[in-house]
Amino acid sequence: MRCLRFYAATIGSEHDPLPLGEWKINGVARDPKFHYNAELFWDAKDASDKATLPPGPNNPVGLVWIDLSKDHYGIHGTPEPGKVGHADSHGCIRLTNWDALELATMVRPGTPAILKE
């Protein structure tokens, strides 16, 4: 196994830590819709809120979603690249849109994703 790239990233928070372990890539979605489900966010004001936001660079997951085998977790872009590495996430791995797009070209379903400290 080898490291494909090294990117600046936002990786979880006190409330939603990085899901350490050995996972796999399930698939890649370019220009994904964002499916907001307040039940998955500890800081949501109303746990019953749900919404689907259209694709695009200002979408909360940016231009690509790389789905991990851990439910509700992925590697994705962001509409705020200046905050990568300087803000918390809800457990996912957040990259700049351009880094997430590059990584998406290097992985396929079954690619290992080993998350460790």
Side-chain angles (χ1 to χ4, degrees):
M1 192 168 323
R2 65 186 172 92
C3 177
L4 294 176
R5 288 284 190 280
F6 185 87
Y7 297 114
T10 297
I11 53 169
S13 68
E14 177 183 332
H15 292 281
D16 297 300
L18 180 69
L20 301 176
E22 294 188 15
W23 311 104
K24 292 196 182 294
I25 303 298
N26 283 337
V28 173
R30 287 175 177 76
D31 293 319
K33 292 179 183 176
F34 178 70
H35 301 282
Y36 176 75
N37 179 350
E39 292 177 8
L40 301 175
F41 295 89
W42 64 269
D43 56 349
K45 305 246 185 284
D46 180 349
S48 66
D49 279 350
K50 292 187 179 193
T52 299
L53 302 176
N58 294 322
N59 173 312
V61 295
L63 295 174
V64 67
W65 173 263
I66 301 170
D67 189 38
L68 293 176
S69 58
K70 170 109 173 121
D71 285 344
H72 309 296
Y73 286 86
I75 303 168
H76 62 82
T78 179
E80 299 179 289
K83 291 187 176 180
V84 168
H86 302 286
D88 291 338
S89 81
H90 285 95
C92 289
I93 299 167
R94 190 179 310 140
L95 308 175
T96 63
N97 279 328
W98 52 89
D99 287 346
L101 285 166
E102 180 183 53
L103 181 61
T105 67
M106 294 184 276
V107 299
R108 63 183 187 282
T111 300
I114 300 168
L115 307 179
K116 59 184 180 177
E117 293 184 51

